[in-house]
């Protein structure tokens, strides 16, 4: 008999305020797929915090407007999931969470909340999508969450190694992120008639967009015909941040994102830290070689000169040199690199990843 017919799990994801981030996207994918398998899935999250007076005054001085919190838009929208948003921004507590078989923390702060829940809320899982010890969080509190007695699922081997080496936890399950080949795909192609580079715009300095922009400016001088494509969930606060020659698309549909990837000869990402880096995987699924910093999934997946190039964090010279190598390939050599990029992710499947994720949850219940 099919195992899925034997036991349906009650699963709760405890999320931070939801948005259009990659981390929320992965949570949404697993929540939806698990629900489609017949499990009872609930997502609980607080709303975004109110805008502070300091932020309002700063915005007023900079833009001469009084900022208002816009309604939240996230990857959970429209999926038909049971998503319960608290009335105000606060910690998630027992009264907010249904009794269940599994309860999953998805961010360092939610790990504190889940750890404090009653046992009736389910076996406690910590789904780790990055090492979240950032400058804008209380670092020691964040580090302490990785030492909590929660069963860990991580999205990449480097995170499993970190949990073992820095937090003395070797009993960690690795469930890699994947790519949806029905959304992200492209036919074999030649180099673009006009050399074309693409990158993701993000306001967070951790994504290293400032480094990409410096590299792009230098590349544009070197290759005056260079076309530069860019998309992001939000436009820059200052339109002048992106040069006039950069073609920016705000919050494009998935089909448009696929087309952006497939129009590029090279995809560039210069993150200073990265849990995974889904756009790099998606670009490869669209047969686009990737130049990336040595962070997250690209460090494990990219072989220099085969499917792209790796460079050091904040290395503008390395970005320029690596992109130049790809742009200057002859068509046959570029096609070989394009095919190698595609083959790197060809076997990746969200269905397989979800099956692994579900298996971890079942073992936790046992």
């Amino acid at each position: 008999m099919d195992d899925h017919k034997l036991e349906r799990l009650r699963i709760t994801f405890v999320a931070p305020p939801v948005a259009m981030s990659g981390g929320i996207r992965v949570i949404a994918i697993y929540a939806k797929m698990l629900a489609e398998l017949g499990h009872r899935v609930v997502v609980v999250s607080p709303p975004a915090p109110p805008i502070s007076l300091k932020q309002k005054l700063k915005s007023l001085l900079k833009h001469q407007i009084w900022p208002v919190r816009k309604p939240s838009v996230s990857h959970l929208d429209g999926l038909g999931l049971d998503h319960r948003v608290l009335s105000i921004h606060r910690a998630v507590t027992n009264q907010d969470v249904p009794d269940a078989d599994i309860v999953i923390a998805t961010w360092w702060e939610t790990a504190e909340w889940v750890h404090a829940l009653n046992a009736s809320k389910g076996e406690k899982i910590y789904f780790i999508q990055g090492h979240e010890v950032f400058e804008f969080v209380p670092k020691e509190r964040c580090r302490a969450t990785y030492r909590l007695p929660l069963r860990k699922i991580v999205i990449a081997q480097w995170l499993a190694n970190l949990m073992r080496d820095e937090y003395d936890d070797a009993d960690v399950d690795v469930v890699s992120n994947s790519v949806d080949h029905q959304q992200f795909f492209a036919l074999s192609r030649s180099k673009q008639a006009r050399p074309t580079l693409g990158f993701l715009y993000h306001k967070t300095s951790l994504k290293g967009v400032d480094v990409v922009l410096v590299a792009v400016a230098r590349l544009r001088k070197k290759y005056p015909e260079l076309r530069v494509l860019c998309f992001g969930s939000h436009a820059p606060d200052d339109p002048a941040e992106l040069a006039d020659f950069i073609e920016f698309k705000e919050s494009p549909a998935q089909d448009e994102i696929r087309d952006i990837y497939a129009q590029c000869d090279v995809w560039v990402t210069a993150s200073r830290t990265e849990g995974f880096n889904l756009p790099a995987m998606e670009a490869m699924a669209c047969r686009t070689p990737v130049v990336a910093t040595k962070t997250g999934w690209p460090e494990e997946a990219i072989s220099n000169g085969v499917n792209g190039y790796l460079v050091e964090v904040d290395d503008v010279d390395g970005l320029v040199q690596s992109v130049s190598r790809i742009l200057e390939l002859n068509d046959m050599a570029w096609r070989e690199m394009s095919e190698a990029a595609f083959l790197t992710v060809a076997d990746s499947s969200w269905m397989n990843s979800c099956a692994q994720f579900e298996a971890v949850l079942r073992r936790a219940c046992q």
Side-chain angles (χ1 to χ4, degrees), residues 311-364:
V311 303
E312 299 296 333
V313 171
D314 288 333
D315 184 2
V316 174
D317 290 340
L319 287 175
V320 172
Q321 291 167 8
S322 296
V323 170
S324 297
R325 290 190 183 104
I326 294 176
L327 294 180
E328 293 174 7
L329 291 172
N330 62 43
D331 190 61
M332 181 176 293
W334 185 87
R335 277 174 169 269
E336 290 177 357
M337 184 173 282
S338 171
E339 183 67 12
F342 173 73
L343 291 175
T344 301
V345 301
D347 293 333
S348 175
S349 160
W350 278 115
M351 185 176 295
N352 290 340
S353 293
C354 185
Q356 295 174 39
F357 196 94
E358 182 194 33
V360 175
L361 303 188
R362 289 191 182 279
R363 288 198 299 272

Side-chain angles (χ1 to χ4, degrees), residues 21-294:
S21 67
I24 298 299
R25 182 178 169 200
V26 173
I27 293 167
I29 289 170
Y30 282 131
K32 182 174 185 292
M33 294 187 77
L34 289 166
E36 289 173 347
L37 289 172
H39 302 296
R40 197 194 84 183
V41 178
V42 175
V43 182
V44 179
S45 68
I51 300 174
S52 69
L53 179 60
K54 181 179 179 180
Q55 289 173 312
K56 290 179 178 179
L57 292 174
K58 183 178 179 180
S59 181
L60 187 64
L61 291 171
K62 187 174 181 180
H63 303 292
Q64 299 182 341
I65 59 172
W66 192 257
V68 177
R69 179 72 72 190
K70 296 179 181 179
S72 63
V73 177
S74 85
H75 291 290
L76 288 161
D77 296 345
L79 298 183
L81 293 169
D82 184 356
H83 179 201
R84 306 177 186 182
V85 182
L86 308 187
S87 59
I88 61 172
H89 182 80
R90 58 170 175 80
V92 172
T93 63
N94 282 304
Q95 65 184 357
D96 309 308
V97 180
D99 288 352
D101 302 300
I102 296 286
V103 59
I104 305 171
T106 58
W107 162 254
W108 74 268
E109 195 172 15
T110 69
E112 294 181 336
W113 303 343
V114 166
H115 178 59
L117 294 177
N118 292 340
S120 63
K121 305 306 176 182
E123 295 294 328
K124 298 172 181 179
I125 304 287
Y126 192 176
F127 182 38
I128 300 171
Q129 299 193 63
H131 190 220
E132 295 159 350
V133 186
F134 304 132
E135 292 299 324
F136 54 86
V137 306
K139 293 182 178 180
E140 291 311 310
R141 274 181 62 193
C142 180
R143 287 192 178 94
T145 66
Y146 299 123
R147 297 189 174 91
L148 292 173
L150 307 177
R151 185 174 188 132
K152 299 182 181 69
I153 302 175
V154 299
I155 61 172
Q157 187 59 47
W158 78 268
L159 282 166
N161 296 344
L162 182 72
M163 292 302 125
R164 178 195 65 211
D165 299 338
E166 188 166 333
Y167 298 101
D168 300 318
D169 189 352
D171 186 19
V172 174
D173 290 285
V174 180
V175 180
S176 177
N177 285 346
S178 296
V179 62
D180 185 342
H181 292 283
Q182 293 184 326
Q183 282 189 339
F184 299 104
F185 60 87
L187 298 174
S188 297
R189 64 182 185 274
S190 298
K191 290 178 68 178
Q192 300 296 320
R194 180 183 175 189
T196 305
L197 174 155
F199 70 96
L200 176 71
Y201 176 80
H202 202 291
K203 296 180 181 181
T204 303
S205 64
L206 297 175
K207 298 297 182 180
V209 172
D210 56 325
V211 179
V212 174
L213 292 176
V214 174
V216 163
R218 286 176 50 181
L219 286 160
R220 177 75 172 190
K221 289 181 179 179
K222 188 175 182 179
Y223 307 100
E225 295 301 311
L226 181 68
R227 185 185 184 199
V228 181
L229 306 180
C230 170
F231 72 90
S233 59
H234 299 284
D237 292 330
D238 181 2
E241 184 178 353
L242 298 180
D244 291 341
F245 62 82
I246 296 176
E247 301 173 36
F248 175 74
K249 185 75 174 180
E250 184 175 4
S251 296
Q254 294 299 308
D255 288 350
E256 292 181 274
I257 295 174
R258 178 182 67 236
D259 291 341
I260 292 170
Y261 289 139
Q263 291 180 68
C264 295
D265 295 310
V266 57
W267 186 259
V268 179
T269 173
S271 297
R272 294 183 169 95
T273 182
E274 193 71 63
F276 193 82
N277 198 326
L278 274 174
M281 178 178 268
E282 293 165 356
M284 285 191 173
C286 296
R287 299 180 183 273
T288 302
V290 173
V291 173
T293 45
K294 296 178 180 178

